[in-house]
DNA sequence: CTCTCAATAT
DNA sequence: GATATTGAGA
């Protein structure tokens, strides 16, 4: 039965004599583990099927302090049952197979640890820790706030898993459980030993919030991610563990994306408490993709240092804003929404809804943005000057990809008076230039009405929002649904396009993104399609568009 | 007070 | 040299 704290206090020679229930269908493995455990002076009861084990537990609960249960692809369901029934007993799962979802499921169902076979002596020797933990935390079943998101993720995972019966490794889910798997999320490799949970109680891992109050305290997520509060400007605790970022305000209307934004503290506090932080680019790529839809806004502020220990809240120095592509993207969107001319720092800031960003930051960025723009389209602007934002701008789309709609002579995009040549860029020219700003990628919904590109600005279209290049034909838009649902949309318009493949933002666009694409397309029919393909037929066009993530086409 | 532009800093 | 921050004028 479960050990109580009192039991342990009176237990001489602990963990000697700890009673271990061993459930393993592999008799040789069981024998091996058993002998090791016995060497360590544990008392082992071996079972080879869970029914026996469970009945033993119910008959004589006092006979076991901890269980070690082997799970395989064949018996996992039974093992899950075991976990549920024997949840009072700290249970360590072991397996020869490395299946992330199985592991997570086990943990979610209450397993205290998941160990890959072969079990090392160290692991076995330390299993008592779970008993202790359980003994002293028995009442602490209350879920802390910080763990709720984890639990929710787990719950959804379980639903999914249970519904689907078998546990096939599912990569997509894994991203939702970063807290559990931590930085190892890339370690899908079968060989990796990474997933072996450390011999410490599970739930403590990865979710320890910044409550230790130490400069060098760190969450498991990664060090230095605590927030420093710079007076009024609130900073959320950016743990980089998406799951934990819960306290940020919910975004209003257009769900906006922010990621990869970083503001770092430049120097150290007067008291010598060094709190410099690395300008660690948030691993936004993936995460943003997965979190966008939640309207998750992460603070771009990367302050560091826990004030409680470092003392000086007065220690606020300039935070350097790193205008990452994501942030810039937001910025551009805000500017677009306001209209280039009406875009003033305060409004932009408002629209961006980025915590920690100051008006000054925005102003500065805007300054650069404008200069850049001016540089790019000096003439055009002047010519059509008086009302740069009126409809005449619609004529400014040199990007019209003739090949996108070659069969349609009367393409509405092209104003009759203005004829632009075909895009006709040489293959491979995509990535040239324009890498400076935002790495030359812009999202499908990137409105472009205010980009007065020079006709033919072509390849040099500045990254300042110019949809520099479409992905080459052979690069499908990652993650975009292949369906062409939008194709039949009644009031269709030109779709958008997926991100150029040079975007480092390789995550899969979510529905939200797609929605945006569609909305954008609908509201701005004049947007050009950046396809660089010249399909031989409409069908091919449709197919290709579909592949590129373009969901709608103009009715013709 | 906010916006811009220019100087300054990194 | 590019980019961000700070400062000053409008």
């Amino acid at each position: 039965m479960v050990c109580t704290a009192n039991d342990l206090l009176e237990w001489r020679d602990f963990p000697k004599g700890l009673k271990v229930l061993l459930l393993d269908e592999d008799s040789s493995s069981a024998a091996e583990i058993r002998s090791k455990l016995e060497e360590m002076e544990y008392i082992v009861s071996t079972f080879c099927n869970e029914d026996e084990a469970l009945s033993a537990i119910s008959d004589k609960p006092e006979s076991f302090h901890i269980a070690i249960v082997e799970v395989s692809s064949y018996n996992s369901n039974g093992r899950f049952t075991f976990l549920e029934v024997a949840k009072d007993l700290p249970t360590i799962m072991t397996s020869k197979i490395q299946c992330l979802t199985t592991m997570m499921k086990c943990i979610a169902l209450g397993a205290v640890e998941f160990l890959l076979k072969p079990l090392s002596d160290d692991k076995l020797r330390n299993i008592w820790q779970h008993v202790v933990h359980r003994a002293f935390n028995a009442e602490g079943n209350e879920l802390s706030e910080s763990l709720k998101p984890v639990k929710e993720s787990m719950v959804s995972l379980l639903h999914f898993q249970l519904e689907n019966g078998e546990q096939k490794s599912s990569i997509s889910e894994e991203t939702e459980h970063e807290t559990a798997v931590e930085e190892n999320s890339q370690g899908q490799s079968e060989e990796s030993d990474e997933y072996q949970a450390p011999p410490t109680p599970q739930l403590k891992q990865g979710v320890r919030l910044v409550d230790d109050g130490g400069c060098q305290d760190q969450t498991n997520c990664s060090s230095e991610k605590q927030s420093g509060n710079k007076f009024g400007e609130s900073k959320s605790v950016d743990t980089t563990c998406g799951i934990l970022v819960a306290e940020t305000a919910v975004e209003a209307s257009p769900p906006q994306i922010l990621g990869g934004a970083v503001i770092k503290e430049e120097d150290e506090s007067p008291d010598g408490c060094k709190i410099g932080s690395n300008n660690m680019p948030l691993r936004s790529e993936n995460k943003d993709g997965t979190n966008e839809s939640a309207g998750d806004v992460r603070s771009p502020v990367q302050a560091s240092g826990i004030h409680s220990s470092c003392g000086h809240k007065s220690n606020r120095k300039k935070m350097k804003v790193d205008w990452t592509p994501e942030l810039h993207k937001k910025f551009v969107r805000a500017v677009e929404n306001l209209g280039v001319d009406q875009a003033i720092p305060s409004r932009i800031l408002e629209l961006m809804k980025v915590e920690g960003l100051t008006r000054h930051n925005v102003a500065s960025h805007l300054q650069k943005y404008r200069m850049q723009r001016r540089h790019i389209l000096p003439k055009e602007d002047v010519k059509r000057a008086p009302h740069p934002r009126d409809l005449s701008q619609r004529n400014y789309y040199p990007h019209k990809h003739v090949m996108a709609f070659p069969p349609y002579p009367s393409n509405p995009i092209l104003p009759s008076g203005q004829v632009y040549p075909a895009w006709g860029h040489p293959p491979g020219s995509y990535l040239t230039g324009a890498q400076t700003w935002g790495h030359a990628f812009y999202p499908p919904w990137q409105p472009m009405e205010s980009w007065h590109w020079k006709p033919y600005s072509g390849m040099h279209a500045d990254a300042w929002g110019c949809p520099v290049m479409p992905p080459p034909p052979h690069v499908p838009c990652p993650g975009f649904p292949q369906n062409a649902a939008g194709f039949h949309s009644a009031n269709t318009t030109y779709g958008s396009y997926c991100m150029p493949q040079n975007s480092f933002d390789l995550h899969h666009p979510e529905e939200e993104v797609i929605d945006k694409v569609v909305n954008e397309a609908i509201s701005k029919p004049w947007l050009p399609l950046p396809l660089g393909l010249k399909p031989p037929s409409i069908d091919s066009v449709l197919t290709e568009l579909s592949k590129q993530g373009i969901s709608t086409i103009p009715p013709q």
Side-chain angles (χ1 to χ4, degrees), chain A residues 139-317:
Chain A
E139 75 292 344
N141 282 334
E142 186 77 21
L143 208 54
S144 72
E145 281 303 303
S146 62
L147 285 178
K148 279 181 180 167
V150 180
K151 185 191 175 187
E152 282 164 14
S153 302
M154 288 299 177
V155 168
S156 61
L157 169 68
L158 288 182
H159 278 312
F160 180 87
Q161 291 295 316
L162 293 172
E163 279 164 15
N164 288 297
E166 247 337 316
Q167 75 298 347
K168 269 291 171 199
S169 91
S170 163
I171 296 178
S172 64
E173 287 155 21
E174 147 185 316
T175 55
E176 304 190 14
H177 308 285
E178 303 218 20
T179 305
V181 292
E182 269 306 341
E183 317 274 31
N184 296 332
S185 53
Q186 89 290 3
Q188 282 270 104
S189 64
E190 299 296 318
E191 318 308 341
S192 159
D193 170 57
E194 308 266 323
Y195 287 132
Q196 294 213 22
T200 43
Q202 206 65 34
L203 292 182
K204 287 250 181 170
Q205 301 297 322
V207 202
R208 205 175 297 117
L209 283 179
V210 290
D211 53 1
D212 293 355
C215 271
Q216 55 284 84
D217 169 43
Q218 41 199 238
T219 64
N220 267 9
C221 298
S222 119
S223 49
E224 45 218 357
K225 267 184 236 83
Q226 295 86 26
S227 90
N229 280 344
K230 189 183 167 194
F231 16 20
E233 297 161 20
S234 67
K235 277 80 178 175
S236 62
V237 175
D238 185 348
T239 62
T240 299
C241 284
I243 300 176
L244 298 180
V245 190
E247 79 258 59
T248 33
V250 179
E251 283 277 17
S253 32
Q256 309 201 338
I257 306 131
L258 163 65
V262 175
I263 297 179
K264 62 179 175 183
E265 188 135 0
E266 295 286 65
D267 52 14
E268 28 185 273
S269 62
D271 62 350
C273 179
K274 186 147 196 165
I275 51 182
S277 57
N278 320 350
N279 184 351
M280 178 193 101
L282 305 187
R283 298 170 305 157
S284 53
E285 290 68 32
N286 261 327
K287 228 158 287 187
D288 282 346
T290 36
N291 290 345
E292 270 175 21
S293 51
D296 169 19
V297 175
R298 245 166 269 145
S299 167
V301 176
Q302 181 116 40
S304 53
I306 298 298
H307 298 318
S308 59
S309 72
C310 287
H312 305 270
K313 53 225 112 233
S314 56
N315 162 42
R316 45 177 176 281
K317 274 289 182 85

Side-chain angles (χ1 to χ4, degrees), chain A residues 55 89 116 154 178 277 282 290 309 347 407 445 458 479 514 532 539:
Chain A
S55 54
L89 198 61
L116 287 179
M154 288 299 177
E178 303 218 20
S277 57
L282 305 187
T290 36
S309 72
R347 309 213 53 151
W445 56 86
I514 294 164
D539 282 346

Side-chain angles (χ1 to χ4, degrees), chain A residues 79 105 122 166 263 400 407 496 534:
Chain A
R79 298 306 195 244
K105 195 165 175 178
D122 270 353
E166 247 337 316
I263 297 179
K400 202 255 168 212
S496 276
K534 180 157 186 165

Side-chain angles (χ1 to χ4, degrees), chain A residues 324-352:
Chain A
T324 63
E326 281 79 14
L327 197 53
H328 176 66
K329 188 158 66 184
K330 266 193 115 164
F331 169 86
V332 172
R333 286 185 63 202
V335 172
E336 297 290 345
N337 285 341
L338 292 168
V340 245
D341 297 323
Q342 278 91 323
I344 58 176
S346 55
R347 309 213 53 151
I348 297 172
L349 182 61
E350 213 173 301
L351 277 180
M352 287 179 71

Side-chain angles (χ1 to χ4, degrees), chain A residues 416-482:
Chain A
S416 43
Q418 222 161 342
V419 178
Y420 295 109
W423 196 230
H425 51 273
S429 58
Y430 307 45
L431 308 179
T432 59
Q435 293 299 339
T436 316
W437 279 89
H439 303 269
F441 81 84
Y442 284 86
W445 56 86
Q446 166 74 56
M448 290 173 290
E449 54 182 324
S450 43
W451 294 110
H452 314 176
W453 297 307
K454 258 196 315 207
Y456 299 99
S457 55
M459 303 310 105
H460 292 295
D462 186 88
W464 266 108
C466 290
V468 182
M469 282 299 108
H474 61 281
V475 178
C477 203
F480 263 112
Q482 300 275 319

